[in-house]
PDB file of all heavy atoms in Angstrom:
ATOM      1  N   LYS A  69      11.453  13.690  -7.324  1.00  0.00           N
ATOM      2  CA  LYS A  69      12.616  13.362  -6.481  1.00  0.00           C
ATOM      3  C   LYS A  69      12.291  13.521  -5.004  1.00  0.00           C
ATOM      4  O   LYS A  69      12.731  12.724  -4.171  1.00  0.00           O
ATOM      5  CB  LYS A  69      13.803  14.228  -6.873  1.00  0.00           C
ATOM      6  CG  LYS A  69      14.341  13.918  -8.261  1.00  0.00           C
ATOM      7  CD  LYS A  69      15.553  14.742  -8.615  1.00  0.00           C
ATOM      8  CE  LYS A  69      16.064  14.373 -10.003  1.00  0.00           C
ATOM      9  NZ  LYS A  69      17.230  15.200 -10.409  1.00  0.00           N
ATOM     10  N   GLU A  70      11.509  14.564  -4.707  1.00  0.00           N
ATOM     11  CA  GLU A  70      11.131  14.773  -3.305  1.00  0.00           C
ATOM     12  C   GLU A  70       9.720  14.292  -3.012  1.00  0.00           C
ATOM     13  O   GLU A  70       9.286  14.310  -1.865  1.00  0.00           O
ATOM     14  CB  GLU A  70      11.283  16.253  -2.964  1.00  0.00           C
ATOM     15  CG  GLU A  70      12.736  16.713  -3.038  1.00  0.00           C
ATOM     16  CD  GLU A  70      12.903  18.156  -2.608  1.00  0.00           C
ATOM     17  OE1 GLU A  70      12.188  18.607  -1.690  1.00  0.00           O
ATOM     18  OE2 GLU A  70      13.765  18.834  -3.185  1.00  0.00           O
ATOM     19  N   GLY A  71       9.000  13.864  -4.033  1.00  0.00           N
ATOM     20  CA  GLY A  71       7.702  13.233  -3.844  1.00  0.00           C
ATOM     21  C   GLY A  71       6.577  14.195  -3.501  1.00  0.00           C
ATOM     22  O   GLY A  71       5.868  13.992  -2.503  1.00  0.00           O
ATOM     23  N   TYR A  72       6.395  15.224  -4.318  1.00  0.00           N
ATOM     24  CA  TYR A  72       5.232  16.081  -4.104  1.00  0.00           C
ATOM     25  C   TYR A  72       4.781  16.713  -5.406  1.00  0.00           C
ATOM     26  O   TYR A  72       5.541  16.841  -6.377  1.00  0.00           O
ATOM     27  CB  TYR A  72       5.495  17.161  -3.046  1.00  0.00           C
ATOM     28  CG  TYR A  72       6.550  18.172  -3.404  1.00  0.00           C
ATOM     29  CD1 TYR A  72       6.243  19.267  -4.201  1.00  0.00           C
ATOM     30  CD2 TYR A  72       7.858  18.032  -2.947  1.00  0.00           C
ATOM     31  CE1 TYR A  72       7.219  20.192  -4.536  1.00  0.00           C
ATOM     32  CE2 TYR A  72       8.833  18.955  -3.275  1.00  0.00           C
ATOM     33  CZ  TYR A  72       8.515  20.024  -4.070  1.00  0.00           C
ATOM     34  OH  TYR A  72       9.476  20.935  -4.405  1.00  0.00           O
ATOM     35  N   SER A  73       3.516  17.111  -5.407  1.00  0.00           N
ATOM     36  CA  SER A  73       2.921  17.860  -6.503  1.00  0.00           C
ATOM     37  C   SER A  73       2.085  18.974  -5.899  1.00  0.00           C
ATOM     38  O   SER A  73       1.433  18.774  -4.864  1.00  0.00           O
ATOM     39  CB  SER A  73       2.054  16.951  -7.371  1.00  0.00           C
ATOM     40  OG  SER A  73       1.392  17.690  -8.387  1.00  0.00           O
ATOM     41  N   TYR A  74       2.123  20.145  -6.523  1.00  0.00           N
ATOM     42  CA  TYR A  74       1.298  21.262  -6.092  1.00  0.00           C
ATOM     43  C   TYR A  74       0.224  21.533  -7.144  1.00  0.00           C
ATOM     44  O   TYR A  74       0.497  21.470  -8.346  1.00  0.00           O
ATOM     45  CB  TYR A  74       2.121  22.537  -5.929  1.00  0.00           C
ATOM     46  CG  TYR A  74       3.130  22.535  -4.819  1.00  0.00           C
ATOM     47  CD1 TYR A  74       4.397  23.103  -5.005  1.00  0.00           C
ATOM     48  CD2 TYR A  74       2.838  21.979  -3.573  1.00  0.00           C
ATOM     49  CE1 TYR A  74       5.328  23.113  -3.986  1.00  0.00           C
ATOM     50  CE2 TYR A  74       3.771  21.991  -2.550  1.00  0.00           C
ATOM     51  CZ  TYR A  74       5.017  22.554  -2.760  1.00  0.00           C
ATOM     52  OH  TYR A  74       5.938  22.565  -1.753  1.00  0.00           O
ATOM     53  N   LEU A  75      -0.960  21.859  -6.674  1.00  0.00           N
ATOM     54  CA  LEU A  75      -2.029  22.329  -7.553  1.00  0.00           C
ATOM     55  C   LEU A  75      -2.309  23.776  -7.192  1.00  0.00           C
ATOM     56  O   LEU A  75      -2.492  24.094  -6.009  1.00  0.00           O
ATOM     57  CB  LEU A  75      -3.294  21.479  -7.390  1.00  0.00           C
ATOM     58  CG  LEU A  75      -4.386  21.754  -8.414  1.00  0.00           C
ATOM     59  CD1 LEU A  75      -4.061  21.049  -9.723  1.00  0.00           C
ATOM     60  CD2 LEU A  75      -5.751  21.293  -7.920  1.00  0.00           C
ATOM     61  N   TYR A  76      -2.310  24.646  -8.196  1.00  0.00           N
ATOM     62  CA  TYR A  76      -2.536  26.074  -7.974  1.00  0.00           C
ATOM     63  C   TYR A  76      -3.828  26.493  -8.670  1.00  0.00           C
ATOM     64  O   TYR A  76      -4.098  26.060  -9.797  1.00  0.00           O
ATOM     65  CB  TYR A  76      -1.411  26.910  -8.585  1.00  0.00           C
ATOM     66  CG  TYR A  76      -0.036  26.629  -8.058  1.00  0.00           C
ATOM     67  CD1 TYR A  76       0.778  25.680  -8.664  1.00  0.00           C
ATOM     68  CD2 TYR A  76       0.472  27.329  -6.965  1.00  0.00           C
ATOM     69  CE1 TYR A  76       2.045  25.427  -8.195  1.00  0.00           C
ATOM     70  CE2 TYR A  76       1.749  27.082  -6.492  1.00  0.00           C
ATOM     71  CZ  TYR A  76       2.535  26.126  -7.109  1.00  0.00           C
ATOM     72  OH  TYR A  76       3.795  25.877  -6.639  1.00  0.00           O
ATOM     73  N   ILE A  77      -4.595  27.339  -8.011  1.00  0.00           N
ATOM     74  CA  ILE A  77      -5.757  27.943  -8.655  1.00  0.00           C
ATOM     75  C   ILE A  77      -5.594  29.455  -8.531  1.00  0.00           C
ATOM     76  O   ILE A  77      -5.497  29.987  -7.417  1.00  0.00           O
ATOM     77  CB  ILE A  77      -7.088  27.496  -8.031  1.00  0.00           C
ATOM     78  CG1 ILE A  77      -7.217  25.974  -8.110  1.00  0.00           C
ATOM     79  CG2 ILE A  77      -8.261  28.158  -8.765  1.00  0.00           C
ATOM     80  CD1 ILE A  77      -8.490  25.424  -7.487  1.00  0.00           C
ATOM     81  N   LYS A  78      -5.573  30.121  -9.671  1.00  0.00           N
ATOM     82  CA  LYS A  78      -5.384  31.568  -9.690  1.00  0.00           C
ATOM     83  C   LYS A  78      -6.743  32.239  -9.772  1.00  0.00           C
ATOM     84  O   LYS A  78      -7.580  31.872 -10.598  1.00  0.00           O
ATOM     85  CB  LYS A  78      -4.537  31.943 -10.907  1.00  0.00           C
ATOM     86  CG  LYS A  78      -4.147  33.391 -10.988  1.00  0.00           C
ATOM     87  CD  LYS A  78      -3.245  33.626 -12.201  1.00  0.00           C
ATOM     88  CE  LYS A  78      -2.890  35.099 -12.326  1.00  0.00           C
ATOM     89  NZ  LYS A  78      -2.048  35.350 -13.520  1.00  0.00           N
ATOM     90  N   GLY A  79      -6.978  33.232  -8.908  1.00  0.00           N
ATOM     91  CA  GLY A  79      -8.243  33.965  -8.957  1.00  0.00           C
ATOM     92  C   GLY A  79      -9.443  33.048  -8.795  1.00  0.00           C
ATOM     93  O   GLY A  79     -10.301  32.950  -9.669  1.00  0.00           O
ATOM     94  N   SER A  80      -9.523  32.374  -7.649  1.00  0.00           N
ATOM     95  CA  SER A  80     -10.568  31.366  -7.418  1.00  0.00           C
ATOM     96  C   SER A  80     -11.962  31.939  -7.667  1.00  0.00           C
ATOM     97  O   SER A  80     -12.262  33.083  -7.315  1.00  0.00           O
ATOM     98  CB  SER A  80     -10.482  30.860  -5.982  1.00  0.00           C
ATOM     99  OG  SER A  80      -9.216  30.324  -5.706  1.00  0.00           O
ATOM    100  N   GLN A  81     -12.803  31.102  -8.234  1.00  0.00           N
ATOM    101  CA  GLN A  81     -14.202  31.436  -8.490  1.00  0.00           C
ATOM    102  C   GLN A  81     -15.089  30.440  -7.752  1.00  0.00           C
ATOM    103  O   GLN A  81     -14.664  29.311  -7.474  1.00  0.00           O
ATOM    104  CB  GLN A  81     -14.486  31.369  -9.992  1.00  0.00           C
ATOM    105  CG  GLN A  81     -13.664  32.324 -10.828  1.00  0.00           C
ATOM    106  CD  GLN A  81     -13.969  33.768 -10.483  1.00  0.00           C
ATOM    107  OE1 GLN A  81     -15.125  34.184 -10.472  1.00  0.00           O
ATOM    108  NE2 GLN A  81     -12.926  34.555 -10.188  1.00  0.00           N
ATOM    109  N   PRO A  82     -16.327  30.832  -7.429  1.00  0.00           N
ATOM    110  CA  PRO A  82     -17.226  29.900  -6.725  1.00  0.00           C
ATOM    111  C   PRO A  82     -17.361  28.550  -7.434  1.00  0.00           C
ATOM    112  O   PRO A  82     -17.486  27.512  -6.771  1.00  0.00           O
ATOM    113  CB  PRO A  82     -18.554  30.652  -6.689  1.00  0.00           C
ATOM    114  CG  PRO A  82     -18.153  32.088  -6.679  1.00  0.00           C
ATOM    115  CD  PRO A  82     -16.938  32.163  -7.557  1.00  0.00           C
ATOM    116  N   GLU A  83     -17.282  28.547  -8.758  1.00  0.00           N
ATOM    117  CA  GLU A  83     -17.423  27.287  -9.484  1.00  0.00           C
ATOM    118  C   GLU A  83     -16.201  26.369  -9.328  1.00  0.00           C
ATOM    119  O   GLU A  83     -16.230  25.214  -9.746  1.00  0.00           O
ATOM    120  CB  GLU A  83     -17.688  27.529 -10.979  1.00  0.00           C
ATOM    121  CG  GLU A  83     -16.650  28.358 -11.686  1.00  0.00           C
ATOM    122  CD  GLU A  83     -17.032  29.834 -11.762  1.00  0.00           C
ATOM    123  OE1 GLU A  83     -17.722  30.327 -10.840  1.00  0.00           O
ATOM    124  OE2 GLU A  83     -16.623  30.489 -12.747  1.00  0.00           O
ATOM    125  N   ASP A  84     -15.134  26.895  -8.718  1.00  0.00           N
ATOM    126  CA  ASP A  84     -13.966  26.059  -8.421  1.00  0.00           C
ATOM    127  C   ASP A  84     -14.189  25.224  -7.159  1.00  0.00           C
ATOM    128  O   ASP A  84     -13.379  24.345  -6.845  1.00  0.00           O
ATOM    129  CB  ASP A  84     -12.704  26.910  -8.228  1.00  0.00           C
ATOM    130  CG  ASP A  84     -12.300  27.653  -9.485  1.00  0.00           C
ATOM    131  OD1 ASP A  84     -12.538  27.124 -10.597  1.00  0.00           O
ATOM    132  OD2 ASP A  84     -11.745  28.771  -9.366  1.00  0.00           O
ATOM    133  N   SER A  85     -15.257  25.523  -6.439  1.00  0.00           N
ATOM    134  CA  SER A  85     -15.541  24.772  -5.204  1.00  0.00           C
ATOM    135  C   SER A  85     -15.743  23.306  -5.535  1.00  0.00           C
ATOM    136  O   SER A  85     -16.612  22.940  -6.340  1.00  0.00           O
ATOM    137  CB  SER A  85     -16.792  25.329  -4.521  1.00  0.00           C
ATOM    138  OG  SER A  85     -16.586  26.656  -4.110  1.00  0.00           O
ATOM    139  N   ALA A  86     -14.922  22.463  -4.938  1.00  0.00           N
ATOM    140  CA  ALA A  86     -14.921  21.033  -5.230  1.00  0.00           C
ATOM    141  C   ALA A  86     -13.899  20.370  -4.321  1.00  0.00           C
ATOM    142  O   ALA A  86     -13.145  21.048  -3.611  1.00  0.00           O
ATOM    143  CB  ALA A  86     -14.555  20.762  -6.689  1.00  0.00           C
ATOM    144  N   THR A  87     -13.853  19.054  -4.376  1.00  0.00           N
ATOM    145  CA  THR A  87     -12.772  18.327  -3.734  1.00  0.00           C
ATOM    146  C   THR A  87     -11.753  17.969  -4.803  1.00  0.00           C
ATOM    147  O   THR A  87     -12.106  17.470  -5.874  1.00  0.00           O
ATOM    148  CB  THR A  87     -13.291  17.045  -3.055  1.00  0.00           C
ATOM    149  OG1 THR A  87     -14.180  17.396  -2.006  1.00  0.00           O
ATOM    150  CG2 THR A  87     -12.142  16.227  -2.489  1.00  0.00           C
ATOM    151  N   TYR A  88     -10.498  18.272  -4.516  1.00  0.00           N
ATOM    152  CA  TYR A  88      -9.423  18.004  -5.468  1.00  0.00           C
ATOM    153  C   TYR A  88      -8.643  16.789  -4.975  1.00  0.00           C
ATOM    154  O   TYR A  88      -8.118  16.780  -3.861  1.00  0.00           O
ATOM    155  CB  TYR A  88      -8.531  19.233  -5.617  1.00  0.00           C
ATOM    156  CG  TYR A  88      -9.262  20.357  -6.335  1.00  0.00           C
ATOM    157  CD1 TYR A  88     -10.132  21.192  -5.632  1.00  0.00           C
ATOM    158  CD2 TYR A  88      -9.138  20.537  -7.702  1.00  0.00           C
ATOM    159  CE1 TYR A  88     -10.852  22.191  -6.278  1.00  0.00           C
ATOM    160  CE2 TYR A  88      -9.857  21.536  -8.364  1.00  0.00           C
ATOM    161  CZ  TYR A  88     -10.702  22.352  -7.640  1.00  0.00           C
ATOM    162  OH  TYR A  88     -11.427  23.334  -8.288  1.00  0.00           O
ATOM    163  N   LEU A  89      -8.605  15.775  -5.815  1.00  0.00           N
ATOM    164  CA  LEU A  89      -7.968  14.507  -5.470  1.00  0.00           C
ATOM    165  C   LEU A  89      -6.699  14.329  -6.276  1.00  0.00           C
ATOM    166  O   LEU A  89      -6.664  14.659  -7.465  1.00  0.00           O
ATOM    167  CB  LEU A  89      -8.895  13.334  -5.808  1.00  0.00           C
ATOM    168  CG  LEU A  89     -10.194  13.169  -5.043  1.00  0.00           C
ATOM    169  CD1 LEU A  89     -11.039  12.087  -5.686  1.00  0.00           C
ATOM    170  CD2 LEU A  89      -9.926  12.824  -3.606  1.00  0.00           C
ATOM    171  N   CYS A  90      -5.691  13.788  -5.638  1.00  0.00           N
ATOM    172  CA  CYS A  90      -4.542  13.328  -6.403  1.00  0.00           C
ATOM    173  C   CYS A  90      -4.460  11.813  -6.273  1.00  0.00           C
ATOM    174  O   CYS A  90      -4.921  11.236  -5.286  1.00  0.00           O
ATOM    175  CB  CYS A  90      -3.235  13.988  -5.965  1.00  0.00           C
ATOM    176  SG  CYS A  90      -2.652  13.518  -4.331  1.00  0.00           S
ATOM    177  N   ALA A  91      -3.909  11.181  -7.280  1.00  0.00           N
ATOM    178  CA  ALA A  91      -3.788   9.725  -7.289  1.00  0.00           C
ATOM    179  C   ALA A  91      -2.441   9.347  -7.879  1.00  0.00           C
ATOM    180  O   ALA A  91      -2.041   9.884  -8.925  1.00  0.00           O
ATOM    181  CB  ALA A  91      -4.913   9.090  -8.093  1.00  0.00           C
ATOM    182  N   LEU A  92      -1.786   8.423  -7.220  1.00  0.00           N
ATOM    183  CA  LEU A  92      -0.522   7.897  -7.725  1.00  0.00           C
ATOM    184  C   LEU A  92      -0.839   6.677  -8.573  1.00  0.00           C
ATOM    185  O   LEU A  92      -1.466   5.729  -8.083  1.00  0.00           O
ATOM    186  CB  LEU A  92       0.371   7.527  -6.551  1.00  0.00           C
ATOM    187  CG  LEU A  92       1.819   7.213  -6.840  1.00  0.00           C
ATOM    188  CD1 LEU A  92       2.534   8.441  -7.393  1.00  0.00           C
ATOM    189  CD2 LEU A  92       2.507   6.715  -5.574  1.00  0.00           C
TER     190      LEU A  92
END
Side-chain angles (χ1 to χ4, degrees):
Chain A
K69 293 182 179 178
E70 295 184 35
Y72 64 83
S73 176
Y74 293 140
L75 189 80
Y76 300 91
I77 302 179
K78 186 177 178 182
S80 302
Q81 299 297 308
E83 57 264 31
D84 296 328
S85 296
T87 296
Y88 290 82
L89 294 171
C90 69
L92 191 64

